[in-house]
Each structure stands twice: as C-alpha cells, then as structure tokens.
Amino acid sequence: MDDHRKTKAKLIEELSVLRAKNQKLEAKVNQNPQGVADLETSSSDIFSAVSVMAWCLDCDKRLSFANSFATETLGRLITLGQHISIYSGNNSAEYSRYDDDVLSTGNSIGGSVERYTTRIGENRWFVTNRSPRRDDDGKISGVMVVSMDLTNRVQAELTSARKAIDFERLVTYIPECFWSVDIAEDGTYNVRYVSPAWERMWGFKPEDIYEDPNLWLSVIVDEDREIATAAFDRAIADKERQVADYRVVSNATGEVRYIEDIMVPIVDGNGAVIGLDGVARDQTYRKKLAEELQKAQKLESLGILAGGIAHDFNNLLTGISGYTSLVLSNLDSNDPNGELLEKVLKTIDKTTRLTTQLLTFASGGEPVRNMVSSSKVIEEAIEFAMHGSKATCQFELAEDLLNMHVDEGNIAQVINNLIINACQAMPEGGQITVRAENATDRDRQSPILRAGRFVKLSITDQGIGIDEAQLGKVFDPFFTTKEKGNGLGLAIAYSIVSNHNGHINIESKVGKGTTVSLWLPGTQEGVPAIIKIESKTMKLRGKVLIMDDEQYIRDLGTRIFEKLEWTVETATNGTEAIEKTRKAKQDDTPFDVAILDLTVPGGMNGKEAMGKMLDIDPSIRGIVSSGYSTDPVMSDYEKFGFKNAVPKPFERDELVNAVYEVMQE
C-alpha cells in the first residue's frame, strides 16, 4: 500500500508540471493561431523537456498538428487532416466525448487515462490534458491535446500487483509460516504480517494475532514458553539471527506440534532494531519420523536376534518333530500311543507359527509358496486365533472355493492378526463373520491388483469401528489406537498380502463395526497329498548325503533313510559335502540326493556348496532345507540348482516325500 501511495503522489506532481507546460503551449497557440504549422519548431524546447505527445484538433476533430514524439510513440506517421479516431481504436467514442466537452464548454479537461493503439497493435496508456484553442475573435477553433506516456508505469504497477497476488498464492501453499513484526522504541511490538500457515500451525485466524500480538505465546507448551521468549529477546538485544525450538498446542485441534522458529532482526540506518522477520517451520512430521526411525532401528536389532532365535528354534523343533514322527512310524496302527504322538506333532505345528511371527521382524526372503486348501488354511488359522476369546465365529465359506499357491505360514499370520483385532474390538464378546468366496478381476477393488481369479476373504466384526480420520492410517507402521498395541499387525498383513500379489482393504463405521477384505490369487490346481511312505512300500533305493551343522538333525536323517534301506553319509558344512561328493564320484558310488542346510554358521552353506557339487556331479539332486534365511533360495530354489525345498521344522514323511519327488524326475 505504501508503494501505491508514493506512486500516486508522484503522478499528481508530474501532472501538475504537465498542466503548467500545457498552459504555456496553449498560450503560444492562442498568440499565433495562424501559425500552428510552425508550432512544433517554435515549441521544441517545451516538448523536449518532458516526454509528452501533443497534437491539435480542429472543430471536426481532425489533426491539424502532431509533434514528433506522437509519431514515435504511436509507431506510425501522423497525417494531418486525418480523424483522431483511427489512433484511439475501439475507445474513440469515449475519447471523442472528451473532445466534444472541450469544444462545447470551452473548459479544459485534465487527468484522463486513455489507451491508444500503435501500428503494430500494441496498446499504450497515457494521461491526457485537453484545452480549447481560440481564434482572434476568441471563438473556439479546436482542441489542444497533451498526453504523457504511462505505459511502463502501468505495466510496472500491474507487475507489482501480480507479484503481490503470486506471493499470496505462493505462501498459501508453503507449509512454513512467514511472519513480520514492527518494534517500537519502548520495546512493544505489533504483528504486521503472518502467512496462512499460521492458522494451520497455531489454530488461530491471522486477524486474531493482529489484534493480540502475544497470542502466539498463549498456546506454547508451558515448559517451552521461556525458550521462545528468550530467543525473541536475544534477536533484538544482540541484533543477530536466533533459532528457537518449541512445542505449541493447536487452538483448533489440540494437537501438539513441534516448531522451529527462525528470527531475524531488521536494523535501520541508526543501528536500532525496528522489527523482526521470521520463518516458523512445522517439524512435527520430521520429529515423528525420527522417533519411528529409532523404533525401526530397534526392530532391526530385534530382527537380527529373532532371525537367529528362529533358526535355532526351528532346528530344535525339527529334531522333536522328526524323532516323534519316526517313533510314530514304528508303531502299529492300533497302538494307543499313536494318538498321543499325533497330538504332539500338531502342537509342534502350532509352535512353528510362533517362529513365523518372529521371522516377520527379520528381513526374510520371498514367501515360500505351496499349493494349499483355502478352506483348510482359513479354518485352522481362525481356530488357533480364537482360542480363549469371548467372541464367536460364523463361517460362510463357498463349497467350491479355489485353492491358493501361497506361503501357508504367512497367510495364517495375516488371518491371525485380523481375528485378534476383531476380538479386541469386542472385549465383551460378539460375533465375527468370516466369508470366503471366489472372485474375478471384474470384482477387484484395487487398480494395482492383477487380473485373474481370486479367493476373497472378508472378516466382519460388530465392534466399535474406526473413525474416518484414522481409517487412512491403519496400515501405517506403528499406528495404533490401542494402549498396549505396537501398530504392526495391519502393517505386517499389508506387507504379506502385497508380497503374494494380493490386496487388502478395510471398511469401517463408528459404532457399526469393521470389515477387512483380502484378495489372494486363487487357482483350480489341486493340492498335492503328502505321501505316507513306509519302508515296506518304499521301493526306491539310493544314496543320500545329509549336510547340517546340527548333529541331532544329521542323526535324525540317518535314522530315517537307513530304515528305508538307503546308504547315508553326513557332512557338517558345505566344504565337507563337496569333498564327499568328489570322492563318491571318483569311487563310482555317486550320491543320488543331497539334503543341504542353507544356514551354516561359520562354514560354507548349502547355496554355495550346491553349485560346486553340480560341477563335480551334474546328476546329483539337491534339496535345500532351512529354518531361516535372508536369501530367496527357499522360494526360488530351482534358480540355484536345487530340485526341491523342505522348510524346517519338518516331519519324517515331509522329508521322505521331498526325496521321493526328486527321484521321480
């Protein structure tokens, strides 16, 4: 506004000068009405003094005189006798009225702003004064027009206005709050400007702080208020830039926001601080991100620990499961101990799921996919998750439900997480409805979901529901509305489903419950049955090499295959396995199958050994086995030269079945 007032004052001053010069010009014209044609020459000193365009019109508004500046400005040759309308274009009628008023009243008209068009079509702006011309008898004989070119100034004003508009538009979308205060000699201050981000961060309207300059302090957290005021005072006293970090509680939302406030003093020519300019940055997201990074680093450490525990734990479970199944195979079908041993194996299977959850925190490889019955996976996972809950479950599973090619442990964990969430949403009990049906790409709910057939699983509870504002955050890591939750359940579910090329979606209304829907790729391919192979029916014979760093697993494998009348040799690491493969090949007694552990602490693992063993004996059939690995070998074993994979823990029949399959190739 100050710039506009200065421009207006200057324009008025220049108009006054212009009027004076115009009066001089008019006097000269009236002194010599017959010598108008000589006016340009005789008045060149006047026209050269200021950049003005001057011309004379007769009573018919035809040009009787025009100076050289008019020719230069309009960009064309002025022809005397032409009607002035050809130079004023579409505005000729309006400007003609000004000329008519002068001719009819004899009064001068000053200060009109007019637009004229040049020969090249450019519009130029002028401030114009009109005065009557008189003959010897004092009668009006025409109009004297003097115009000053304002085009550059108008364009500058428009540019300035556009810049102001652009600035306001820019700061509207900038997340930082720009502010400026004026400081009086007595130390009091007034807020001159705050950008729109002020309202987003502090929760007040801009006009509120203009009325009460101390309003910004009112919502600063009590223990941080002194930090802010001290920085403010130091910026004034030391005449140096200051930075203050403090927290505010938004007046609008009650949310705590972390602010970084940069304060820069404005010093006048006398060295006095007359104001402060500042930028307040909302650091809430960065602060939370740093906190989440710390959590992630802790989880990374936990992941390393969990991976090691899971590996060792699965090795132990392999021994328990393997020896149990080995004992079970030695019992008669009517032995009552058989039922007890079957229960032991089922307990081991459930225990295996705990290690799967541990592995979620570790950076494991790709899902180890197998063909599974969708109904079986859903029912078993829900039965396990519902144990001890007050809620009840109603199943609505399609009879012709497609099978799935998935990592059974991963999908069971997803279902487990969803059921636990549903139960926690109904602490006093309620009904959980589980629906499973076949779907196609036409039913898909996500543009990123691949076309094809799917198993759609929906889990609906009758709980408290989720607020719409929180619904978009439910898959964010660490986001939780529970006092004791870690916010990882749905994040893990989302990650697992995505790794299976599926989709997860959630719908919820406060007070009406929540429905979580999964889309997982389905197939009509059948689920292969586990072949129960007894020694009396196992017709295949061969030689097997078992490499594992654990003695009890090597012993277990030896017992299983010696009972099936196989020749068995063992190795503790990859280096030993390579040497035994070379010796067997040299002795013309090669191994038919090699079962290699993928993780061997302090020694060569199965992945490294397999390639070298195939170089020695291309006919050897490799089976990879591990309780944990960061390599994708378990899910993509063929890429690394293996014929099959057996995850730990395994039962006797699972291991034998894997060997049987590779021997059939």
Side-chain angles (χ1 to χ4, degrees), residues 73-105:
T73 302
L74 294 177
R76 66 178 79 185
L77 182 63
I78 299 292
T79 304
L80 300 183
Q82 284 186 329
H83 198 280
I84 189 61
S85 62
I86 73 167
Y87 303 106
S88 53
N90 296 333
N91 301 301
S92 59
E94 179 182 354
Y95 303 160
S96 182
R97 285 199 298 271
Y98 297 149
D99 296 326
D100 290 338
D101 288 343
V102 174
L103 291 171
S104 62
T105 65

PDB file of all heavy atoms in Angstrom, residues 73-105:
ATOM      1  N   THR A  73       5.843   7.571 -30.637  1.00  0.00           N
ATOM      2  CA  THR A  73       5.123   6.774 -29.637  1.00  0.00           C
ATOM      3  C   THR A  73       4.089   5.868 -30.272  1.00  0.00           C
ATOM      4  O   THR A  73       3.968   4.689 -29.924  1.00  0.00           O
ATOM      5  CB  THR A  73       4.451   7.690 -28.605  1.00  0.00           C
ATOM      6  OG1 THR A  73       5.441   8.501 -27.992  1.00  0.00           O
ATOM      7  CG2 THR A  73       3.730   6.870 -27.541  1.00  0.00           C
ATOM      8  N   LEU A  74       3.331   6.428 -31.209  1.00  0.00           N
ATOM      9  CA  LEU A  74       2.288   5.615 -31.843  1.00  0.00           C
ATOM     10  C   LEU A  74       2.864   4.680 -32.897  1.00  0.00           C
ATOM     11  O   LEU A  74       2.156   3.816 -33.399  1.00  0.00           O
ATOM     12  CB  LEU A  74       1.221   6.509 -32.469  1.00  0.00           C
ATOM     13  CG  LEU A  74       0.392   7.324 -31.460  1.00  0.00           C
ATOM     14  CD1 LEU A  74      -0.592   8.225 -32.196  1.00  0.00           C
ATOM     15  CD2 LEU A  74      -0.363   6.400 -30.519  1.00  0.00           C
ATOM     16  N   GLY A  75       4.125   4.889 -33.237  1.00  0.00           N
ATOM     17  CA  GLY A  75       4.781   3.953 -34.142  1.00  0.00           C
ATOM     18  C   GLY A  75       4.296   4.055 -35.567  1.00  0.00           C
ATOM     19  O   GLY A  75       4.371   3.115 -36.332  1.00  0.00           O
ATOM     20  N   ARG A  76       3.796   5.227 -35.947  1.00  0.00           N
ATOM     21  CA  ARG A  76       3.330   5.401 -37.328  1.00  0.00           C
ATOM     22  C   ARG A  76       3.462   6.885 -37.709  1.00  0.00           C
ATOM     23  O   ARG A  76       3.581   7.753 -36.838  1.00  0.00           O
ATOM     24  CB  ARG A  76       1.896   4.926 -37.483  1.00  0.00           C
ATOM     25  CG  ARG A  76       0.905   5.781 -36.690  1.00  0.00           C
ATOM     26  CD  ARG A  76      -0.515   5.312 -36.892  1.00  0.00           C
ATOM     27  NE  ARG A  76      -0.783   4.139 -36.070  1.00  0.00           N
ATOM     28  CZ  ARG A  76      -1.911   3.463 -36.114  1.00  0.00           C
ATOM     29  NH1 ARG A  76      -2.846   3.813 -36.966  1.00  0.00           N
ATOM     30  NH2 ARG A  76      -2.103   2.432 -35.327  1.00  0.00           N
ATOM     31  N   LEU A  77       3.377   7.171 -38.981  1.00  0.00           N
ATOM     32  CA  LEU A  77       3.436   8.553 -39.452  1.00  0.00           C
ATOM     33  C   LEU A  77       2.076   9.215 -39.252  1.00  0.00           C
ATOM     34  O   LEU A  77       1.050   8.699 -39.683  1.00  0.00           O
ATOM     35  CB  LEU A  77       3.823   8.593 -40.944  1.00  0.00           C
ATOM     36  CG  LEU A  77       3.964   9.993 -41.556  1.00  0.00           C
ATOM     37  CD1 LEU A  77       5.100  10.748 -40.856  1.00  0.00           C
ATOM     38  CD2 LEU A  77       4.230   9.893 -43.045  1.00  0.00           C
ATOM     39  N   ILE A  78       2.094  10.360 -38.529  1.00  0.00           N
ATOM     40  CA  ILE A  78       0.854  11.096 -38.304  1.00  0.00           C
ATOM     41  C   ILE A  78       0.550  11.922 -39.554  1.00  0.00           C
ATOM     42  O   ILE A  78       1.399  12.687 -40.035  1.00  0.00           O
ATOM     43  CB  ILE A  78       0.981  12.034 -37.085  1.00  0.00           C
ATOM     44  CG1 ILE A  78       1.270  11.209 -35.826  1.00  0.00           C
ATOM     45  CG2 ILE A  78      -0.274  12.869 -36.915  1.00  0.00           C
ATOM     46  CD1 ILE A  78       0.134  10.335 -35.398  1.00  0.00           C
ATOM     47  N   THR A  79      -0.640  11.775 -40.047  1.00  0.00           N
ATOM     48  CA  THR A  79      -1.043  12.507 -41.250  1.00  0.00           C
ATOM     49  C   THR A  79      -2.049  13.581 -40.862  1.00  0.00           C
ATOM     50  O   THR A  79      -3.111  13.271 -40.295  1.00  0.00           O
ATOM     51  CB  THR A  79      -1.674  11.560 -42.290  1.00  0.00           C
ATOM     52  OG1 THR A  79      -0.743  10.513 -42.581  1.00  0.00           O
ATOM     53  CG2 THR A  79      -2.033  12.310 -43.555  1.00  0.00           C
ATOM     54  N   LEU A  80      -1.686  14.806 -41.132  1.00  0.00           N
ATOM     55  CA  LEU A  80      -2.590  15.907 -40.814  1.00  0.00           C
ATOM     56  C   LEU A  80      -3.856  15.784 -41.648  1.00  0.00           C
ATOM     57  O   LEU A  80      -3.827  15.368 -42.803  1.00  0.00           O
ATOM     58  CB  LEU A  80      -1.907  17.248 -41.069  1.00  0.00           C
ATOM     59  CG  LEU A  80      -0.634  17.512 -40.248  1.00  0.00           C
ATOM     60  CD1 LEU A  80      -0.084  18.910 -40.549  1.00  0.00           C
ATOM     61  CD2 LEU A  80      -0.912  17.380 -38.766  1.00  0.00           C
ATOM     62  N   GLY A  81      -4.964  16.150 -41.048  1.00  0.00           N
ATOM     63  CA  GLY A  81      -6.253  16.061 -41.741  1.00  0.00           C
ATOM     64  C   GLY A  81      -6.991  14.775 -41.440  1.00  0.00           C
ATOM     65  O   GLY A  81      -8.185  14.655 -41.737  1.00  0.00           O
ATOM     66  N   GLN A  82      -6.289  13.794 -40.859  1.00  0.00           N
ATOM     67  CA  GLN A  82      -6.958  12.539 -40.516  1.00  0.00           C
ATOM     68  C   GLN A  82      -7.766  12.697 -39.231  1.00  0.00           C
ATOM     69  O   GLN A  82      -7.410  13.460 -38.334  1.00  0.00           O
ATOM     70  CB  GLN A  82      -5.930  11.417 -40.332  1.00  0.00           C
ATOM     71  CG  GLN A  82      -5.367  10.879 -41.641  1.00  0.00           C
ATOM     72  CD  GLN A  82      -4.468   9.675 -41.417  1.00  0.00           C
ATOM     73  OE1 GLN A  82      -3.833   9.588 -40.377  1.00  0.00           O
ATOM     74  NE2 GLN A  82      -4.406   8.780 -42.388  1.00  0.00           N
ATOM     75  N   HIS A  83      -8.834  11.921 -39.140  1.00  0.00           N
ATOM     76  CA  HIS A  83      -9.663  11.948 -37.940  1.00  0.00           C
ATOM     77  C   HIS A  83      -8.932  11.210 -36.815  1.00  0.00           C
ATOM     78  O   HIS A  83      -8.317  10.163 -37.030  1.00  0.00           O
ATOM     79  CB  HIS A  83     -11.020  11.287 -38.210  1.00  0.00           C
ATOM     80  CG  HIS A  83     -12.066  11.650 -37.206  1.00  0.00           C
ATOM     81  ND1 HIS A  83     -12.150  11.049 -35.980  1.00  0.00           N
ATOM     82  CD2 HIS A  83     -13.063  12.586 -37.249  1.00  0.00           C
ATOM     83  CE1 HIS A  83     -13.158  11.569 -35.300  1.00  0.00           C
ATOM     84  NE2 HIS A  83     -13.738  12.514 -36.055  1.00  0.00           N
ATOM     85  N   ILE A  84      -8.992  11.755 -35.616  1.00  0.00           N
ATOM     86  CA  ILE A  84      -8.246  11.193 -34.483  1.00  0.00           C
ATOM     87  C   ILE A  84      -8.704   9.783 -34.121  1.00  0.00           C
ATOM     88  O   ILE A  84      -7.975   9.010 -33.494  1.00  0.00           O
ATOM     89  CB  ILE A  84      -8.379  12.132 -33.256  1.00  0.00           C
ATOM     90  CG1 ILE A  84      -7.432  11.684 -32.132  1.00  0.00           C
ATOM     91  CG2 ILE A  84      -9.816  12.167 -32.775  1.00  0.00           C
ATOM     92  CD1 ILE A  84      -5.994  11.694 -32.503  1.00  0.00           C
ATOM     93  N   SER A  85      -9.891   9.396 -34.531  1.00  0.00           N
ATOM     94  CA  SER A  85     -10.443   8.094 -34.138  1.00  0.00           C
ATOM     95  C   SER A  85      -9.602   6.925 -34.622  1.00  0.00           C
ATOM     96  O   SER A  85      -9.606   5.854 -34.016  1.00  0.00           O
ATOM     97  CB  SER A  85     -11.874   7.938 -34.651  1.00  0.00           C
ATOM     98  OG  SER A  85     -11.904   7.989 -36.072  1.00  0.00           O
ATOM     99  N   ILE A  86      -8.836   7.136 -35.707  1.00  0.00           N
ATOM    100  CA  ILE A  86      -8.077   5.997 -36.225  1.00  0.00           C
ATOM    101  C   ILE A  86      -6.920   5.638 -35.292  1.00  0.00           C
ATOM    102  O   ILE A  86      -6.368   4.552 -35.385  1.00  0.00           O
ATOM    103  CB  ILE A  86      -7.553   6.252 -37.651  1.00  0.00           C
ATOM    104  CG1 ILE A  86      -6.391   7.266 -37.622  1.00  0.00           C
ATOM    105  CG2 ILE A  86      -8.647   6.740 -38.560  1.00  0.00           C
ATOM    106  CD1 ILE A  86      -5.654   7.308 -38.951  1.00  0.00           C
ATOM    107  N   TYR A  87      -6.566   6.550 -34.387  1.00  0.00           N
ATOM    108  CA  TYR A  87      -5.467   6.285 -33.459  1.00  0.00           C
ATOM    109  C   TYR A  87      -5.956   5.790 -32.096  1.00  0.00           C
ATOM    110  O   TYR A  87      -5.185   5.236 -31.326  1.00  0.00           O
ATOM    111  CB  TYR A  87      -4.616   7.540 -33.267  1.00  0.00           C
ATOM    112  CG  TYR A  87      -4.060   8.065 -34.564  1.00  0.00           C
ATOM    113  CD1 TYR A  87      -4.594   9.207 -35.139  1.00  0.00           C
ATOM    114  CD2 TYR A  87      -3.020   7.398 -35.211  1.00  0.00           C
ATOM    115  CE1 TYR A  87      -4.103   9.684 -36.341  1.00  0.00           C
ATOM    116  CE2 TYR A  87      -2.526   7.869 -36.414  1.00  0.00           C
ATOM    117  CZ  TYR A  87      -3.071   9.010 -36.984  1.00  0.00           C
ATOM    118  OH  TYR A  87      -2.585   9.478 -38.168  1.00  0.00           O
ATOM    119  N   SER A  88      -7.230   6.038 -31.807  1.00  0.00           N
ATOM    120  CA  SER A  88      -7.743   5.617 -30.499  1.00  0.00           C
ATOM    121  C   SER A  88      -8.546   4.332 -30.564  1.00  0.00           C
ATOM    122  O   SER A  88      -9.052   3.859 -29.549  1.00  0.00           O
ATOM    123  CB  SER A  88      -8.606   6.730 -29.886  1.00  0.00           C
ATOM    124  OG  SER A  88      -9.604   7.141 -30.793  1.00  0.00           O
ATOM    125  N   GLY A  89      -8.668   3.750 -31.747  1.00  0.00           N
ATOM    126  CA  GLY A  89      -9.262   2.426 -31.907  1.00  0.00           C
ATOM    127  C   GLY A  89     -10.661   2.311 -31.324  1.00  0.00           C
ATOM    128  O   GLY A  89     -11.529   3.167 -31.525  1.00  0.00           O
ATOM    129  N   ASN A  90     -10.871   1.205 -30.563  1.00  0.00           N
ATOM    130  CA  ASN A  90     -12.200   0.916 -30.014  1.00  0.00           C
ATOM    131  C   ASN A  90     -12.664   1.943 -28.987  1.00  0.00           C
ATOM    132  O   ASN A  90     -13.833   1.975 -28.622  1.00  0.00           O
ATOM    133  CB  ASN A  90     -12.210  -0.474 -29.367  1.00  0.00           C
ATOM    134  CG  ASN A  90     -11.966  -1.578 -30.385  1.00  0.00           C
ATOM    135  OD1 ASN A  90     -12.278  -1.414 -31.561  1.00  0.00           O
ATOM    136  ND2 ASN A  90     -11.377  -2.686 -29.929  1.00  0.00           N
ATOM    137  N   ASN A  91     -11.739   2.752 -28.503  1.00  0.00           N
ATOM    138  CA  ASN A  91     -12.092   3.720 -27.466  1.00  0.00           C
ATOM    139  C   ASN A  91     -12.387   5.103 -28.036  1.00  0.00           C
ATOM    140  O   ASN A  91     -12.525   6.071 -27.289  1.00  0.00           O
ATOM    141  CB  ASN A  91     -10.950   3.833 -26.450  1.00  0.00           C
ATOM    142  CG  ASN A  91     -10.636   2.497 -25.800  1.00  0.00           C
ATOM    143  OD1 ASN A  91     -11.492   1.899 -25.179  1.00  0.00           O
ATOM    144  ND2 ASN A  91      -9.404   2.034 -25.970  1.00  0.00           N
ATOM    145  N   SER A  92     -12.461   5.206 -29.357  1.00  0.00           N
ATOM    146  CA  SER A  92     -12.601   6.519 -29.989  1.00  0.00           C
ATOM    147  C   SER A  92     -13.880   7.233 -29.557  1.00  0.00           C
ATOM    148  O   SER A  92     -13.882   8.449 -29.358  1.00  0.00           O
ATOM    149  CB  SER A  92     -12.577   6.361 -31.517  1.00  0.00           C
ATOM    150  OG  SER A  92     -13.646   5.509 -31.941  1.00  0.00           O
ATOM    151  N   ALA A  93     -14.974   6.503 -29.353  1.00  0.00           N
ATOM    152  CA  ALA A  93     -16.238   7.149 -28.968  1.00  0.00           C
ATOM    153  C   ALA A  93     -16.121   7.790 -27.588  1.00  0.00           C
ATOM    154  O   ALA A  93     -16.585   8.916 -27.358  1.00  0.00           O
ATOM    155  CB  ALA A  93     -17.369   6.125 -28.983  1.00  0.00           C
ATOM    156  N   GLU A  94     -15.475   7.082 -26.677  1.00  0.00           N
ATOM    157  CA  GLU A  94     -15.322   7.612 -25.320  1.00  0.00           C
ATOM    158  C   GLU A  94     -14.441   8.851 -25.315  1.00  0.00           C
ATOM    159  O   GLU A  94     -14.771   9.870 -24.686  1.00  0.00           O
ATOM    160  CB  GLU A  94     -14.715   6.539 -24.422  1.00  0.00           C
ATOM    161  CG  GLU A  94     -14.500   6.993 -22.990  1.00  0.00           C
ATOM    162  CD  GLU A  94     -13.852   5.928 -22.139  1.00  0.00           C
ATOM    163  OE1 GLU A  94     -13.676   4.796 -22.633  1.00  0.00           O
ATOM    164  OE2 GLU A  94     -13.514   6.244 -20.975  1.00  0.00           O
ATOM    165  N   TYR A  95     -13.288   8.779 -26.038  1.00  0.00           N
ATOM    166  CA  TYR A  95     -12.371   9.912 -26.053  1.00  0.00           C
ATOM    167  C   TYR A  95     -12.963  11.077 -26.845  1.00  0.00           C
ATOM    168  O   TYR A  95     -12.678  12.246 -26.550  1.00  0.00           O
ATOM    169  CB  TYR A  95     -11.024   9.509 -26.649  1.00  0.00           C
ATOM    170  CG  TYR A  95     -10.363   8.357 -25.923  1.00  0.00           C
ATOM    171  CD1 TYR A  95      -9.370   7.592 -26.518  1.00  0.00           C
ATOM    172  CD2 TYR A  95     -10.728   8.037 -24.616  1.00  0.00           C
ATOM    173  CE1 TYR A  95      -8.768   6.541 -25.852  1.00  0.00           C
ATOM    174  CE2 TYR A  95     -10.133   6.986 -23.936  1.00  0.00           C
ATOM    175  CZ  TYR A  95      -9.160   6.236 -24.565  1.00  0.00           C
ATOM    176  OH  TYR A  95      -8.567   5.198 -23.909  1.00  0.00           O
ATOM    177  N   SER A  96     -13.773  10.747 -27.830  1.00  0.00           N
ATOM    178  CA  SER A  96     -14.413  11.797 -28.632  1.00  0.00           C
ATOM    179  C   SER A  96     -15.328  12.658 -27.779  1.00  0.00           C
ATOM    180  O   SER A  96     -15.471  13.863 -28.003  1.00  0.00           O
ATOM    181  CB  SER A  96     -15.194  11.164 -29.785  1.00  0.00           C
ATOM    182  OG  SER A  96     -15.775  12.156 -30.600  1.00  0.00           O
ATOM    183  N   ARG A  97     -15.935  12.046 -26.756  1.00  0.00           N
ATOM    184  CA  ARG A  97     -16.806  12.811 -25.868  1.00  0.00           C
ATOM    185  C   ARG A  97     -16.012  13.853 -25.089  1.00  0.00           C
ATOM    186  O   ARG A  97     -16.489  14.947 -24.799  1.00  0.00           O
ATOM    187  CB  ARG A  97     -17.531  11.873 -24.899  1.00  0.00           C
ATOM    188  CG  ARG A  97     -18.666  11.093 -25.542  1.00  0.00           C
ATOM    189  CD  ARG A  97     -19.624  10.554 -24.486  1.00  0.00           C
ATOM    190  NE  ARG A  97     -18.958   9.626 -23.572  1.00  0.00           N
ATOM    191  CZ  ARG A  97     -18.862   8.326 -23.790  1.00  0.00           C
ATOM    192  NH1 ARG A  97     -19.381   7.800 -24.893  1.00  0.00           N
ATOM    193  NH2 ARG A  97     -18.241   7.541 -22.924  1.00  0.00           N
ATOM    194  N   TYR A  98     -14.764  13.490 -24.728  1.00  0.00           N
ATOM    195  CA  TYR A  98     -13.912  14.468 -24.054  1.00  0.00           C
ATOM    196  C   TYR A  98     -13.663  15.676 -24.969  1.00  0.00           C
ATOM    197  O   TYR A  98     -13.738  16.845 -24.545  1.00  0.00           O
ATOM    198  CB  TYR A  98     -12.574  13.845 -23.662  1.00  0.00           C
ATOM    199  CG  TYR A  98     -12.665  12.701 -22.669  1.00  0.00           C
ATOM    200  CD1 TYR A  98     -11.740  11.662 -22.682  1.00  0.00           C
ATOM    201  CD2 TYR A  98     -13.672  12.682 -21.715  1.00  0.00           C
ATOM    202  CE1 TYR A  98     -11.815  10.624 -21.765  1.00  0.00           C
ATOM    203  CE2 TYR A  98     -13.746  11.646 -20.795  1.00  0.00           C
ATOM    204  CZ  TYR A  98     -12.828  10.614 -20.826  1.00  0.00           C
ATOM    205  OH  TYR A  98     -12.912   9.595 -19.917  1.00  0.00           O
ATOM    206  N   ASP A  99     -13.352  15.379 -26.231  1.00  0.00           N
ATOM    207  CA  ASP A  99     -13.119  16.469 -27.188  1.00  0.00           C
ATOM    208  C   ASP A  99     -14.377  17.307 -27.360  1.00  0.00           C
ATOM    209  O   ASP A  99     -14.317  18.551 -27.416  1.00  0.00           O
ATOM    210  CB  ASP A  99     -12.675  15.904 -28.543  1.00  0.00           C
ATOM    211  CG  ASP A  99     -11.338  15.173 -28.451  1.00  0.00           C
ATOM    212  OD1 ASP A  99     -10.487  15.604 -27.642  1.00  0.00           O
ATOM    213  OD2 ASP A  99     -11.150  14.174 -29.171  1.00  0.00           O
ATOM    214  N   ASP A 100     -15.531  16.645 -27.435  1.00  0.00           N
ATOM    215  CA  ASP A 100     -16.803  17.372 -27.588  1.00  0.00           C
ATOM    216  C   ASP A 100     -17.064  18.276 -26.394  1.00  0.00           C
ATOM    217  O   ASP A 100     -17.556  19.418 -26.547  1.00  0.00           O
ATOM    218  CB  ASP A 100     -17.961  16.377 -27.744  1.00  0.00           C
ATOM    219  CG  ASP A 100     -17.923  15.649 -29.080  1.00  0.00           C
ATOM    220  OD1 ASP A 100     -17.293  16.185 -30.023  1.00  0.00           O
ATOM    221  OD2 ASP A 100     -18.496  14.535 -29.171  1.00  0.00           O
ATOM    222  N   ASP A 101     -16.746  17.787 -25.198  1.00  0.00           N
ATOM    223  CA  ASP A 101     -16.967  18.594 -23.995  1.00  0.00           C
ATOM    224  C   ASP A 101     -16.117  19.859 -24.024  1.00  0.00           C
ATOM    225  O   ASP A 101     -16.579  20.957 -23.651  1.00  0.00           O
ATOM    226  CB  ASP A 101     -16.631  17.774 -22.743  1.00  0.00           C
ATOM    227  CG  ASP A 101     -17.668  16.697 -22.464  1.00  0.00           C
ATOM    228  OD1 ASP A 101     -18.782  16.786 -23.019  1.00  0.00           O
ATOM    229  OD2 ASP A 101     -17.357  15.760 -21.675  1.00  0.00           O
ATOM    230  N   VAL A 102     -14.858  19.743 -24.456  1.00  0.00           N
ATOM    231  CA  VAL A 102     -13.977  20.916 -24.532  1.00  0.00           C
ATOM    232  C   VAL A 102     -14.495  21.903 -25.578  1.00  0.00           C
ATOM    233  O   VAL A 102     -14.536  23.130 -25.352  1.00  0.00           O
ATOM    234  CB  VAL A 102     -12.537  20.488 -24.850  1.00  0.00           C
ATOM    235  CG1 VAL A 102     -11.649  21.720 -25.084  1.00  0.00           C
ATOM    236  CG2 VAL A 102     -11.968  19.643 -23.723  1.00  0.00           C
ATOM    237  N   LEU A 103     -14.898  21.377 -26.748  1.00  0.00           N
ATOM    238  CA  LEU A 103     -15.378  22.239 -27.827  1.00  0.00           C
ATOM    239  C   LEU A 103     -16.683  22.938 -27.451  1.00  0.00           C
ATOM    240  O   LEU A 103     -16.922  24.088 -27.835  1.00  0.00           O
ATOM    241  CB  LEU A 103     -15.579  21.413 -29.100  1.00  0.00           C
ATOM    242  CG  LEU A 103     -14.299  20.888 -29.771  1.00  0.00           C
ATOM    243  CD1 LEU A 103     -14.644  19.911 -30.899  1.00  0.00           C
ATOM    244  CD2 LEU A 103     -13.464  22.048 -30.327  1.00  0.00           C
ATOM    245  N   SER A 104     -17.529  22.241 -26.684  1.00  0.00           N
ATOM    246  CA  SER A 104     -18.846  22.820 -26.372  1.00  0.00           C
ATOM    247  C   SER A 104     -18.815  23.736 -25.154  1.00  0.00           C
ATOM    248  O   SER A 104     -19.566  24.709 -25.087  1.00  0.00           O
ATOM    249  CB  SER A 104     -19.863  21.704 -26.151  1.00  0.00           C
ATOM    250  OG  SER A 104     -19.482  20.902 -25.037  1.00  0.00           O
ATOM    251  N   THR A 105     -17.939  23.436 -24.183  1.00  0.00           N
ATOM    252  CA  THR A 105     -17.947  24.211 -22.941  1.00  0.00           C
ATOM    253  C   THR A 105     -16.811  25.217 -22.866  1.00  0.00           C
ATOM    254  O   THR A 105     -16.893  26.194 -22.112  1.00  0.00           O
ATOM    255  CB  THR A 105     -17.841  23.280 -21.724  1.00  0.00           C
ATOM    256  OG1 THR A 105     -16.569  22.623 -21.739  1.00  0.00           O
ATOM    257  CG2 THR A 105     -18.964  22.233 -21.739  1.00  0.00           C
TER     258      THR A 105
END
